[in-house]
Amino acid sequence: MDETKTCPVCGAAVRDGEHECERCGFKLVGATEELESPGAASSGIIEIDPCGKPRLTLVKGPLKGEAFLLDALPATIGRDPSCDIFLNNMTVSRKHAIIERLGSRIVVRDNTSLNGTWVDGKIVEEAELIEGTLLQVGTFSMRFSCR
């Protein structure tokens, strides 16, 4: 009988003997440790705050539909599990980009990533995030919203 395990990244069920999570693509090799994501719902999805806090919602990629609140800035994006927005894919650099507040603006800054950071279809070193901006990091596309 198949035993069900849980993916340490997205929380999806993974059958015994599988070496990759079907949902997020995480390679299940060797020993892993389950980490509690601050503010994460039981489904592993961070809840969207209706009060209008800035957030990124994944619109393309393995975690499509998930949203990340940008409660505390600066926020790091990368493949390193210590990043605030952890995107586990080889197209994402370990410390790919950073989102920070500059005065009244919220900006994304590339952190010398290998594949670059893209905003509304253009590669950027730094760009302001405004309502509806499309941010692409590796194979992940995220829509910025503050409503």
Side-chain angles (χ1 to χ4, degrees):
M1 180 173 214
D2 281 346
E3 184 180 319
T4 303
K5 296 180 182 178
T6 303
C7 174
V9 174
C10 70
V14 180
R15 287 186 305 219
D16 193 31
E18 293 293 322
H19 299 288
E20 182 176 312
C21 175
E22 288 182 25
R23 182 166 184 234
C24 71
F26 182 75
K27 304 287 187 218
L28 302 164
V29 179
T32 60
E33 134 183 13
E34 189 168 334
L35 302 174
E36 189 66 34
S37 176
S42 60
S43 66
I45 298 174
I46 295 177
E47 294 290 330
I48 295 175
D49 186 328
C51 299
K53 292 184 180 176
R55 65 188 166 274
L56 289 171
T57 303
L58 287 153
V59 295
K60 180 182 173 202
L63 302 174
K64 183 179 177 181
E66 294 201 33
F68 299 94
L69 286 178
L70 301 174
D71 282 336
L73 294 178
T76 54
I77 302 172
R79 195 178 73 232
D80 189 307
S82 69
C83 288
D84 300 302
I85 300 174
F86 173 55
L87 301 175
N88 189 33
N89 187 284
M90 292 304 292
T91 61
V92 178
S93 295
R94 291 184 197 281
K95 304 279 185 172
H96 198 103
I98 187 165
I99 297 174
E100 56 192 349
R101 192 176 298 277
L102 295 178
S104 63
R105 302 179 321 134
I106 296 177
V107 298
V108 62
R109 185 171 28 89
D110 185 74
N111 193 31
T112 63
S113 66
L114 184 61
N115 291 324
T117 299
W118 298 72
V119 172
D120 291 331
K122 297 178 183 170
I123 195 163
V124 298
E125 287 185 30
E126 183 177 293
E128 183 175 6
L129 297 177
I130 59 172
E131 185 68 32
T133 298
L134 187 66
L135 171 64
Q136 184 177 339
V137 174
T139 60
F140 298 88
S141 291
M142 299 166 271
R143 182 81 56 198
F144 177 79
S145 179
C146 51
R147 290 188 184 158

